[in-house]
């Protein structure tokens, strides 16, 4: 178990903007950073990171928390896994508490945990074989050396080798205590009837581990080196609970910082393309690993940049098949350029032939926008055939129809108009046709999905929304707790009944109000927070927002983040020379007014609840009935006194002399 001292050190060292920045393209917005939500498909940024408070908030999904909770959310890490990942990133040594782990805790690992672990074990095993075993060095390492890979690159991508013996890794893993079942589910081993001891899926192949965004091994790609064997040149891990090839891009873990820094991504096809470009010093590159590009993969890139350059090797059949990828990238709002290498070259061979500066300049100068690229490919075989030429132009306009931004669409159509000498009106007409076709196809797919879904039932409104009295008191309860979280340690100057000045913190004033009213909390999370605050005061601590941020309770964390990053922080008003009053500019008046308003709402709520009891005792218990009448009368008198005091100004944020 990770020691508390280590956890404290991790939280004090890590930077939320750095960890989140590896997954989300963040832009400065006033004192905060903003970006597109990594959890929800959106076009307008609703994801906010506060560097000063070291928290994040995703307004599109309601999620929020610390850097650690972000890692847990986006990578499905457990709490210890997220801590270890952050510690590794920042070079923090993990200290373990020397507590005996119960047998029950040891057996509590989920299948997903075991899959991650067995892939880590396999990755270390394949690397050890490559560098230390005789056949690993003579076969696997020799192959990589023939491809001119240097030791640091081989280690950077954790390349390995699986030996010739048919069950070498399987036997190794079984000896380590891993079950046949988990080996089979991972795809690392196969257990046919004629080989009960198991067979290694990747035997006699060089190994390319496939990493997640954060660096965990999800699966493997493996290349056979013998030419006289009738089997696939490349073999990949099967789909598992942790590996879905449509959600992964090869090299993204090693390339994400360069992509974010350069605000551009090079998209290639194979493992060696990525590795060779890295070796030449060009690191902002990922591969779709031979699979058709997917929407999920595009969204991974979009977290870091909207600028993509696709690198092709000149294979005409493959290029035409890539047109679908271009349309998908345009649909997701990406800016696309395309580069064709000279005949006989691919990114791997081209990067090995030329120095870094030459390759970078070649990509920069020779890459075309998608219109020029499609025109060059589609018009190669057209000659003077007007029908083929019209079809080629229609194909280009179809791609333009996938562009989401109206201004960009118009600019692209003008470019097509100039290129082919066609009127803009005819192109806009064709664009409308293509958009309608696309829309019909989308609606058909959506209709089929809806038919497959069970019918929705009408869900009644939440209780508090049906009851305006309950809603009002809940609203004010939440607001007071938010004040404690946001401004808890601020000292207020007050005067007592004798007009003598005294000082009190926001936390103490609101807590005193709750205790004076013997208030019963209606929101479970608020009760937990208040109990923690009381405990803190007993220990002479003021526990406000920062204390609760690292609570490993999703509901508490969400509540605290909502208080610390209010919705108006999505707007960067200063960029428009608008300077509205800041939340908290008048803390003393806001707290005083909200305490009074909560008291007022609570009294209304008590009157309503007490009135409910009257019917029960009207005929059965006269004494109880008149006690309730007296209670309601006193409550109404208190309500009238308060209504003469309270008036709320939403502009000033204070309450004065408001009549109900």
């Amino acid at each position: 178990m990770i020691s508390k001292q280590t956890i404290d050190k991790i939280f004090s060292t890590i930077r939320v903007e750095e960890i989140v920045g590896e997954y989300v393209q963040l832009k400065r917005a006033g004192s905060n950073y903003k970006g597109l939500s990594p959890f929800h498909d959106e076009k307008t940024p609703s994801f906010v990171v506060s560097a000063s408070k070291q928290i994040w908030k995703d307004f599109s999904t309601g999620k929020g928390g610390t850097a650690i909770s972000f890692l847990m959310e986006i990578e499905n890490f457990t709490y210890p896994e997220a801590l270890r990942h952050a510690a590794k990133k920042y070079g923090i040594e993990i200290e373990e508490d020397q507590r005996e782990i119960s047998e029950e805790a040891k057996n509590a690992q989920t299948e997903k945990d075991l899959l991650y672990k067995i892939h880590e074990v396999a990755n270390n095993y394949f690397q050890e074989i490559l560098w230390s075993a005789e056949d690993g060095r003579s076969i696997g390492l020799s192959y990589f050396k023939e491809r001119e890979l240097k030791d640091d690159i081989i280690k950077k991508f954790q390349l390995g080798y699986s030996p010739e013996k048919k069950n070498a890794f399987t036997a190794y893993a079984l000896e380590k205590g891993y079950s046949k079942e988990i080996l089979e589910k991972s795809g690392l081993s196969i257990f046919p009837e004629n080989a009960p001891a198991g067979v290694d899926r990747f035997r006699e192949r060089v190994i390319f581990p496939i990493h997640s965004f954060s660096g965990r091994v999800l699966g493997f790609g493996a290349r056979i080196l013998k030419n006289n064997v009738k089997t696939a040149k490349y073999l990949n891990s099967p789909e598992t609970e942790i590996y879905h090839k449509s959600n992964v891009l090869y090299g993204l873990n090693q390339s994400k910082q360069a992509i974010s820094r350069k605000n551009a991504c090079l998209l290639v096809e194979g493992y060696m393309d990525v590795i060779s470009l890295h070796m030449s010093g060009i690191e902002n590159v990922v591969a779709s690993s031979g699979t058709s590009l997917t929407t999920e993969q595009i969204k991974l890139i979009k977290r870091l940049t909207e600028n993509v350059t696709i690198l092709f090797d000149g294979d005409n059949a493959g290029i035409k098949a890539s047109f679908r990828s271009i349309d998908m990238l345009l649909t997701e709002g990406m800016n696309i350029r395309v580069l064709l290498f000279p005949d006989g070259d691919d990114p791997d061979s081209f990067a090995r032939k030329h120095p870094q500066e030459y390759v970078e300049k070649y990509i920069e100068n020779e890459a075309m926008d998608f219109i020029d690229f499609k025109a060059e490919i589609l018009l190669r075989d057209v000659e003077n055939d007007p029908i083929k030429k019209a079809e080629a132009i229609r194909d280009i306009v179809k791609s333009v129809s996938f562009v989401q931004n109206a201004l960009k669409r118009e600019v692209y159509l003008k470019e097509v108009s100039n290129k082919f000498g066609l009127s803009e009106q005819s192109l806009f007409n064709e664009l409308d046709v293509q958009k309608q076709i696309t829309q019909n196809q989308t609606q058909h797919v959506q209709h089929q999905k809806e038919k497959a879904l069970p019918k929705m039932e009408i869900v009644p409104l939440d209780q508090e929304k049906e009851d305006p009295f309950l809603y009002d008191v809940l609203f004010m309860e939440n607001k007071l707790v938010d004040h404690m979280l946001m401004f808890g340690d601020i000292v207020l100057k007050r005067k007592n009944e004798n007009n003598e000045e005294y000082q009190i913190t926001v936390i103490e004033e609101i807590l005193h109000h709750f205790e004076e009213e013997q208030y019963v909390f209606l929101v479970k999370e608020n009760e937990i927070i208040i109990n923690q605050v009381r405990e803190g005061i007993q220990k002479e601590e003021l526990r406000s927002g920062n204390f609760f941020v690292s609570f490993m309770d999703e509901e508490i964390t969400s509540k605290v983040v909502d208080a610390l990053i209010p919705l108006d922080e999505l707007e960067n008003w200063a960029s428009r020379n608008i300077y509205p009053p800041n939340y908290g500019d008048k803390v003393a008046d806001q707290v005083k007014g909200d305490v009074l308003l909560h008291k007022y709402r609570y009294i209304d709520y008590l009157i309503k609840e007490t009135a409910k009891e009257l019917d029960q005792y009207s005929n059965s218990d006269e004494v109880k009935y008149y006690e309730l009448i007296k209670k309601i009368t006193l409550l109404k008198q208190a309500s009238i006194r308060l209504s003469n005091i309270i008036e709320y100004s939403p502009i000033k944020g204070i309450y004065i002399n408001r009549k109900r």
Side-chain angles (χ1 to χ4, degrees):
M1 187 172 286
I2 302 172
S3 69
K4 186 178 185 305
Q5 291 86 347
T6 302
I7 294 173
D8 290 342
K9 188 175 182 181
I10 291 169
F11 270 99
S12 64
T13 304
I14 61 178
R15 303 294 302 168
V16 67
E17 66 272 24
E18 292 174 354
I19 285 178
V20 173
E22 291 189 351
Y23 298 82
V24 180
Q25 189 179 10
L26 297 174
K27 295 179 181 177
R28 175 71 75 171
S31 61
N32 296 327
Y33 294 90
K34 284 202 306 187
L36 295 172
S37 167
F39 309 115
H40 181 72
D41 191 16
E42 63 181 15
K43 292 180 172 59
T44 303
S46 69
F47 188 92
V48 177
V49 174
S50 171
S52 59
K53 297 167 188 166
Q54 283 299 292
I55 55 177
W56 58 276
K57 173 72 180 177
D58 179 12
F59 287 95
S60 67
T61 62
K63 298 173 181 175
T66 63
I68 296 300
S69 66
F70 179 82
L71 288 170
M72 292 172 67
E73 191 70 46
I74 202 160
E75 289 287 355
N76 289 320
F77 282 152
T78 61
Y79 183 52
E81 285 173 338
L83 289 171
R84 291 180 191 280
H85 177 81
K88 183 179 179 182
K89 175 177 171 62
Y90 286 88
I92 299 169
E93 188 176 345
I94 296 283
E95 293 177 4
E96 304 274 358
D97 276 343
Q98 298 303 310
R99 271 185 264 173
E100 189 64 36
I101 300 174
S102 69
E103 199 62 36
E104 184 181 354
K106 288 178 183 175
N107 295 331
Q109 287 179 300
T110 65
E111 183 178 292
K112 187 179 282 189
D113 295 330
L114 286 170
L115 284 171
Y116 281 123
K117 188 62 184 173
I118 193 63
H119 279 84
E120 182 185 332
V121 168
N123 192 37
N124 292 334
Y125 173 84
F126 295 140
Q127 289 180 82
E128 181 67 23
I129 294 294
L130 180 77
W131 292 102
S132 302
E134 185 178 339
D135 56 344
R137 291 194 306 272
S138 62
I139 302 172
L141 196 57
S142 293
Y143 168 77
F144 290 131
K145 294 294 184 182
E146 285 171 16
R147 300 296 295 263
E148 301 175 12
L149 300 189
K150 296 176 182 176
D151 289 359
D152 61 332
I153 286 292
I154 296 172
K155 289 175 179 175
K156 179 179 182 178
F157 285 88
Q158 301 178 355
L159 307 181
Y161 179 72
S162 181
E164 183 177 357
K165 185 183 175 184
K166 72 175 184 178
N167 70 336
F169 170 72
T170 303
Y172 173 83
L174 290 170
E175 193 177 324
K176 287 271 185 184
Y178 291 94
S179 67
K180 287 184 178 181
E181 184 184 16
I182 204 65
L183 282 168
E184 200 161 28
K185 284 186 175 179
S186 71
L188 289 162
S189 304
I190 304 165
F191 292 91
E193 289 183 8
N194 61 347
V199 177
D200 294 350
R201 178 181 293 271
F202 301 120
R203 66 188 182 281
E204 243 185 317
R205 292 173 182 262
V206 286
I207 304 293
F208 300 84
I210 300 165
H211 297 88
S212 71
F213 204 105
S214 64
R216 289 198 289 187
V217 180
L218 305 175
F220 298 95
R223 187 190 194 282
I224 198 157
L225 303 182
K226 291 182 178 178
N227 294 322
N228 58 347
V229 180
K230 290 184 178 179
T231 185
K233 183 193 287 188
Y234 278 98
L235 193 61
N236 292 321
S237 290
E239 296 270 317
T240 67
E241 192 177 353
I242 64 171
Y243 176 59
H244 305 284
K245 61 184 178 182
S246 63
N247 296 353
V248 178
L249 286 164
Y250 182 76
L252 188 58
N253 173 250
Q254 293 88 348
S255 306
K256 60 190 177 188
Q257 290 181 347
I259 293 169
S260 183
R261 187 175 64 251
K262 293 193 172 187
N263 193 22
C265 177
L266 305 179
L267 182 60
V268 297
E269 200 171 355
Y271 306 131
M272 286 304 301
D273 295 329
V274 173
I275 293 168
S276 293
L277 284 166
H278 266 260
M279 194 168 66
S280 73
I282 299 169
E283 298 185 334
N284 58 322
V285 55
V286 296
S288 57
S289 305
T291 63
S292 297
L293 191 66
T294 66
T295 302
E296 290 79 10
Q297 290 171 331
I298 296 169
K299 286 177 179 176
L300 283 174
I301 298 172
K302 196 174 181 180
R303 288 182 188 173
L304 305 171
T305 183
E306 293 181 348
N307 303 310
V308 175
T309 300
I310 308 172
L311 308 185
F312 288 118
D313 60 9
D315 174 2
N316 201 44
I319 290 167
K320 287 193 176 181
S322 74
F323 287 174
R324 176 179 168 274
S325 298
I326 289 173
D327 292 345
M328 290 178 68
L329 285 159
L330 291 170
T331 301
E332 293 301 318
M334 306 298 269
N335 304 315
I336 309 167
R337 299 174 76 216
V338 186
L339 174 68
L340 287 176
F341 284 103
D343 286 345
D345 267 325
D346 57 22
D348 170 24
S349 62
F350 195 83
R352 285 189 283 117
K353 282 181 187 177
H354 304 287
Q356 176 183 349
E357 187 178 356
Y358 181 88
V359 177
E360 286 179 329
K361 283 187 176 178
Y362 186 85
I363 293 172
E364 180 62 33
N365 296 333
E366 299 298 323
M368 302 175 274
D369 69 34
F370 74 91
I371 292 173
D372 286 338
F373 167 70
K374 291 193 78 169
E376 181 175 317
I377 301 301
L378 294 172
L379 296 177
R380 278 179 182 173
D381 306 320
V382 165
E383 297 176 352
N384 295 320
D385 188 330
I387 295 175
K388 286 184 178 179
K389 186 175 181 181
E391 286 299 322
I393 295 169
R394 180 175 286 115
D395 200 311
I396 294 169
V397 174
K398 179 185 174 185
S399 288
V400 175
S401 74
F402 288 105
V403 176
Q404 301 298 303
N405 183 280
L407 181 60
K408 282 185 182 178
R409 277 202 306 269
E410 187 164 344
V411 170
Y412 282 134
L413 281 188
K414 284 182 181 293
E415 190 176 327
V416 176
S417 171
N418 293 333
K419 188 173 188 68
F420 296 103
L422 298 171
S423 72
E424 290 180 24
Q425 187 57 54
S426 64
L427 292 173
F428 274 106
N429 291 341
E430 179 61 31
L431 179 67
D432 289 338
V433 171
Q434 294 300 329
K435 283 168 65 178
Q436 188 61 50
I437 292 170
T438 303
Q439 186 178 346
N440 290 342
Q441 289 171 344
T442 305
Q443 287 175 348
H444 176 72
V445 171
Q446 187 63 34
H447 180 65
Q448 294 302 315
K449 286 181 180 178
E450 287 172 359
K451 281 172 65 178
L453 290 172
K455 289 188 176 180
M456 302 287 285
E457 294 182 7
I458 297 173
V459 180
L461 289 171
D462 295 335
Q463 183 188 350
E464 65 269 20
K465 290 178 181 175
E466 291 180 338
D467 183 341
F469 292 95
L470 177 60
Y471 179 84
D472 286 343
V473 75
L474 278 172
F475 180 82
M476 292 313 302
E477 176 188 311
N478 282 320
K479 199 167 185 184
L480 288 179
V481 174
D482 285 353
H483 287 334
M484 296 174 86
L485 294 168
M486 189 78 166
F487 311 115
D489 56 356
I490 290 179
V491 177
L492 308 173
K493 292 180 181 179
R494 298 298 195 206
K495 288 184 179 180
N496 61 19
E497 293 174 354
N498 300 322
N499 210 32
E500 297 168 337
E501 282 199 358
Y502 68 94
Q503 292 185 336
I504 188 170
T505 63
V506 169
I507 277 179
E508 291 167 319
E509 180 159 297
I510 296 174
L511 190 60
H512 175 69
H513 158 67
F514 285 139
E515 291 173 345
E516 184 181 51
E517 298 295 329
Q518 297 182 326
Y519 183 70
V520 178
F521 287 92
L522 303 173
V523 180
K524 180 188 70 174
E525 290 76 23
N526 290 339
E527 186 176 11
I528 293 169
I529 289 168
I530 294 299
N531 288 338
Q532 285 290 331
V533 169
R534 286 194 184 108
E535 184 184 305
I537 287 175
Q538 289 169 4
K539 295 180 179 180
E540 298 185 351
E541 299 173 6
L542 283 176
R543 295 179 174 176
S544 56
N546 288 337
F547 172 84
F548 292 98
V549 159
S550 57
F551 253 50
M552 293 323 297
D553 180 319
E554 187 177 337
E555 299 296 332
I556 297 293
T557 302
S558 179
K559 164 79 180 171
V560 174
V561 171
D562 283 345
L564 299 185
I565 305 184
L567 183 61
D568 60 3
E569 293 208 25
L570 267 178
E571 296 291 345
N572 183 17
W573 295 110
S575 66
R576 287 171 256 179
N577 292 320
I578 300 173
Y579 299 93
N582 292 319
Y583 176 52
D585 278 352
K586 298 178 183 292
V587 176
D589 290 330
Q590 284 178 326
V591 170
K592 181 180 178 181
D594 284 343
V595 165
L596 288 171
L597 192 57
H598 177 257
K599 193 187 296 265
Y600 179 67
R601 298 300 191 198
Y602 187 47
I603 287 171
D604 277 355
Y605 175 69
L606 289 176
I607 290 170
K608 186 210 66 164
E609 291 297 300
T610 307
K612 282 182 184 177
E613 295 183 62
L614 281 175
D615 290 340
Q616 297 178 31
Y617 301 102
S618 58
N619 298 319
S620 59
D621 189 335
E622 191 173 319
V623 174
K624 180 69 175 176
Y625 180 78
Y626 283 107
E627 280 179 4
L628 292 173
I629 291 287
K630 185 179 178 182
K631 181 180 178 181
I632 289 172
T633 302
L634 291 171
L635 287 170
K636 283 186 175 179
Q637 288 172 355
S639 178
I640 290 167
R641 286 197 300 272
L642 279 169
S643 71
N644 290 326
I645 297 170
I646 299 170
E647 182 175 345
Y648 177 57
S649 167
I651 296 174
K652 295 180 181 178
I654 59 175
Y655 302 87
I656 31 177
N657 299 326
R658 174 175 171 236
K659 300 224 170 164
R660 196 173 180 191

